[in-house]
Amino acid sequence: MRLLFIRHGEPDYEKDSLTEKGFREAGYLAEYLAGEKIDTCYVSPLGRAKDTAAPTLKRKHMRAEECHWLQEFPAKVIRPDKGYKINCWDFLPQDWMNVREYYDRDAWASTSLMQEGNVLEEYNYVTKSFDALLEKHGYVRDGNFYRAVKPNRDTIAFFCHFALECVLLGHLIGASPMVLWHGFCAAPSSVTTVMTEERRQGTASFRISRFGDVSHLYVKGEEPSFYARYCETFDSDELHD
């Protein structure tokens, strides 16, 4: 089975929609995905994800099932340098990279900050919902791997959000989402591909074969959006925090 995790186009957060550039990105994405075999689509309930999915669904004459748990990962914590609640996936490097637990797939949500924000509760809700969906498609979670009960070559597309995508990828490969949130960057409208591997009959694992692909933008001469990134050097005019 193949999973496509598609981040929404450049967002207009105030309207929960897309910017003019974001709508162009969604159109270019639809052109690219027109040549891709997609069997089933799922979409976040948030407007920016649905607006990104719409051109693809129209072009492929498909409908997407809306899943509440596909919305952007909502858990918030009181970030050390802010003193007020902010997204749990938005930390300064110096405030998390020296904390051993954040690198551990099982302990990352055990710190006092994460516990106060009930982050693990939200994480469990998302990952259990995801596993229930995968079971519908033939793959049943069994500890740290999956049983291929009804193995298949279907392609499933998820139109969602960057932090949520990292939660699901970390769950599939056994990694702390903190590492993915801060060590990877998926530009708006990017496509990440995950494939099953069944090296022994009945036992499957998932492997990321492509992360954050924006080739559909480059072929149109469209620069990827800067959203989700921060300044390359501090003396630039790019986003600092």
Side-chain angles (χ1 to χ4, degrees):
M1 185 166 65
R2 185 172 64 142
L3 310 179
L4 304 180
F5 295 101
I6 302 163
R7 188 188 176 196
H8 57 75
E10 183 177 85
D12 182 331
Y13 287 119
E14 185 176 343
K15 297 179 180 178
D16 188 24
S17 182
L18 303 177
T19 63
E20 182 179 341
K21 174 178 172 57
F23 280 109
R24 287 200 308 272
E25 293 173 348
Y28 297 150
L29 174 69
E31 287 186 46
Y32 167 71
L33 293 178
E36 290 279 317
K37 170 186 174 291
I38 298 178
D39 298 284
T40 311
C41 292
Y42 297 96
V43 65
S44 157
L46 299 185
R48 55 192 182 271
K50 292 195 283 189
D51 287 342
T52 301
T56 296
L57 297 173
K58 181 178 180 180
R59 189 160 186 144
K60 298 183 79 66
H61 307 289
M62 297 181 69
R63 299 187 69 176
E65 180 179 335
E66 186 176 310
C67 299
H68 177 268
W69 55 270
L70 274 178
Q71 68 179 306
E72 184 57 293
F73 194 66
K76 296 183 181 298
V77 299
I78 298 177
R79 204 173 83 172
D81 67 311
K82 295 287 188 181
Y84 55 84
K85 284 192 173 183
I86 196 167
N87 295 320
C88 70
W89 34 268
D90 184 12
F91 272 64
L92 290 176
Q94 58 267 37
D95 288 332
W96 78 271
M97 296 185 79
N98 289 326
V99 180
R100 177 180 54 81
E101 287 82 0
Y102 286 136
Y103 291 88
D104 189 294
R105 58 175 296 180
D106 297 314
W108 70 275
S110 67
T111 66
S112 59
L113 279 178
M114 294 296 180
Q115 288 184 28
E116 289 168 7
N118 295 317
V119 176
L120 184 59
E121 180 180 349
E122 189 65 37
Y123 176 85
N124 287 338
Y125 163 65
V126 169
T127 55
K128 287 179 180 178
S129 299
F130 182 50
D131 282 339
L133 184 147
L134 293 180
E135 185 168 344
K136 286 172 50 180
H137 289 276
Y139 293 85
V140 179
R141 185 86 175 190
D142 187 358
N144 292 326
F145 61 90
Y146 289 81
R147 288 186 285 111
V149 176
K150 294 181 180 179
N152 61 74
R153 294 178 178 268
D154 290 349
T155 297
I156 303 173
F158 299 89
F159 291 87
C160 54
H161 310 264
F162 173 63
L164 186 281
E165 173 185 336
C166 289
V167 168
L168 300 182
L169 292 177
H171 181 62
L172 288 175
I173 67 172
S176 163
M178 285 290 283
V179 176
L180 277 70
W181 287 333
H182 298 91
F184 290 79
C185 183
S189 82
S190 62
V191 181
T192 294
T193 304
V194 182
M195 311 280 288
T196 53
E197 289 188 348
E198 193 179 355
R199 298 175 65 176
R200 294 292 184 274
Q201 187 173 13
T203 300
S205 60
F206 287 85
R207 195 170 190 181
I208 301 169
S209 63
R210 176 179 56 168
F211 181 86
D213 180 26
V214 288
S215 58
H216 57 282
L217 301 182
Y218 286 122
V219 298
K220 296 293 186 178
E222 183 82 31
E223 283 292 318
S225 171
F226 195 79
Y227 274 78
R229 290 182 57 200
Y230 293 95
C231 54
E232 187 171 352
T233 58
F234 192 77
D235 59 359
S236 75
D237 293 328
E238 298 163 334
L239 182 65
H240 287 75
D241 197 10

